[in-house]
Structure formats: C-alpha cells, structure tokens
Amino acid sequence: MATKLKLGIPKGSLQDATIALFERAGWRISASGRSYFPGIDDDEIECMLVRAQEMARYVEKGALDAGLTGNDWVQENQTDVEYVTSLTYSKVSRQKVKWVLCVPEDSPFQKPEDLAGKVIATELVEFTKRYFASKNIPVKVEFSWGATEVKPPTLADAIVEVTETGSSLRANRLRIIETLMESETQLIANKAAYKDEWKRKKIENISLMLNAAIAAQGRVGLMMNAPKEKLDAIVAELPALNFPTISHLSDPAWVALNTILDEAVVRDVIPKLKAAGATGIVEYPLSKVVL
C-alpha cells in the first residue's frame, strides 16, 4: 500500500479560504456533502476536515500527520507539535487576526486590572485564564458557544474575541482595551511524522507551494524591451521584488527586462516606464512566486 500523508483541513470559517489557497498552489480539494473526507487530486495525500480548534490535538496524537490551524489554538491547547511554516491568510484578508479584550463602549473599564472579580466570556478559555493569572487579576472566565459580541454587559462584563477588521466589534458597540494575542494560520506537523523522511519531504513541498501561492497574491509580472542606452533610467522606475532579470535580444542595442511588482503600483509605474523609453510592456498574472 502506498504511503499517504494524513492532512487536516480546517473545517468552518477557514475552510473555503484554505481550499482556495491549495487550488492556487496546485492541489484541487473537493469538499462536498456531509463527508469529512474531501477528495484531493494527489494520491499521496488523504484529507480530513477538522475544526481548527481541535486540529493541534489530533496532530499531536498522530491521528493526523499535519494540519492547518491558527497558532492561537495551538497555544490554547498547549499542544506539542512541529511548526512548519506560518501562512498569513484568513477568511477575510491576508492579515493576522487578533484576540482582543473588549468591553461595552460606555463601560467604565479602561484596563484589564479594572476587571478584577468580573466575568469574561470567550471561546479561548484556557489562554485567557493564563493571561489574567499572569497579571494576578482574579476573574471568572466562562466558555462562550458563540455570539460572544452580544454578551456584555448583561451576560458578561467583558469578552475576549477574535477580530480581523474590528467591524463586528464596532457594530456591537464594543471597545477594545487590550490585545492579548496576534495569530495567523500555521502548517503544523506531528513530531514523529516530521522525522519520517518521506512525510517530511511531502510536508515541506506542501509548505513551499502554499507559500508560493500566498507570495503571488497581489503581485503581477511585468516584461518589456528597452534600449541599452536608456536601461538605467528604466530600471530606476521599477520597484522590483528583487532585481529585474535582464536578457540580451538579437539586436545588441536592446535588452528584455522581466520583473515582479505589486499590482497596486502598476497603473503608476507603466506610464513612467513608457516615458523612460521602455516598449512592448506586457503585464501578466502570477499564480506562484517562490522566494
């Protein structure tokens, strides 16, 4: 029987973003119906949908060789796993998420110490308990099954909640008084599996391609021809990822340039390149950038 890598895909809010990232990286994952075992077009990988909150526990135990979850849940469960790589993507943006301590806008509480003896509602129970204990602030931390933003001030005095943009907190008239943790998605591995040569190589290849897909987001390729006499002026207009690749053309007086830049600056850069003497300027999309 062929060796397979047991890979955990986060079920829930990160599921669609993760499957989309894998597709950009070169793997098609088909999650349909109620099955917790989505198909993948790689005979060496077996996928399983697992909630991000539980992923690290199953990876630590070896039920999964590797999986994707936030480092917030690794810390919450205090699991002993191998961190392979950070992958900064989420359900909304390409930013890290934050776990923040919030109170109602009109609350008198201004700092964590003001919450001594109060009730804190959160899904991140154990981490929150350790946070307040480290500050010697006695609080009661209650597990929240959801809709945490609506609980203060009636059901809790404050909450610890995850946010990307802060819009939901503002909509529920909540005010942040402290950031407890920043978190991003991690590719983690079971320590024994990571010592296996075949599995480690497979996990590292997945890591390489996922990072390449993330690096390509928001970037485009740009190629053009340039007369050698104007090369320095043209290169000066390029905010390149590294240095542009310069190739000789059949006409010794001309060269070709190829570079990568942020998509947001293209509209400003191309006119400057044209004015500096570049011709045949072509912009093209990128699916992966291996740094």
Side-chain angles (χ1 to χ4, degrees), residues 229-249:
E229 61 185 24
K230 297 182 178 180
L231 183 58
D232 290 343
I234 291 169
V235 171
E237 299 294 349
L238 285 173
L241 179 63
N242 292 301
F243 295 100
T245 299
I246 300 175
S247 307
H248 294 288
L249 297 178

Side-chain angles (χ1 to χ4, degrees), residues 239-274:
L241 179 63
N242 292 301
F243 295 100
T245 299
I246 300 175
S247 307
H248 294 288
L249 297 178
S250 55
D251 185 338
W254 286 75
V255 293
L257 283 77
N258 206 323
T259 192
I260 294 171
L261 65 163
D262 290 336
E263 189 174 16
V265 305
V266 171
R267 66 186 184 189
D268 298 319
V269 170
I270 288 181
K272 293 177 181 178
L273 294 172
K274 180 68 175 174

Side-chain angles (χ1 to χ4, degrees), residues 121-176:
T122 184
E123 192 178 357
L124 201 72
V125 172
E126 298 304 319
F127 181 88
T128 301
K129 286 180 179 178
R130 293 193 298 270
Y131 170 82
F132 279 97
S134 71
K135 291 181 172 290
N136 295 314
I137 304 171
V139 296
K140 182 180 180 182
V141 181
E142 294 182 345
F143 179 74
S144 174
W145 291 93
T148 308
E149 297 99 325
V150 304
K151 293 188 174 176
T154 308
L155 303 177
D157 298 292
I159 64 170
V160 171
E161 180 66 326
V162 66
T163 182
E164 287 187 49
T165 64
S167 58
S168 179
L169 300 176
R170 290 189 294 270
N172 286 282
R173 299 194 295 273
L174 295 172
R175 170 168 49 87
I176 298 172

Side-chain angles (χ1 to χ4, degrees), residues 52-54 56-57 72-79 130:
Q53 294 90 327
E54 302 176 292
R57 294 206 305 266
D72 45 5
W73 297 113
V74 179
Q75 292 188 47
E76 168 72 0
N77 295 299
Q78 292 190 304
T79 42
R130 293 193 298 270

Side-chain angles (χ1 to χ4, degrees), residues 37-52:
F37 298 93
I40 184 169
D41 60 347
D42 186 331
D43 293 338
E44 297 177 342
I45 299 176
E46 181 180 284
C47 291
M48 182 177 182
L49 290 174
V50 177
R51 287 184 62 81

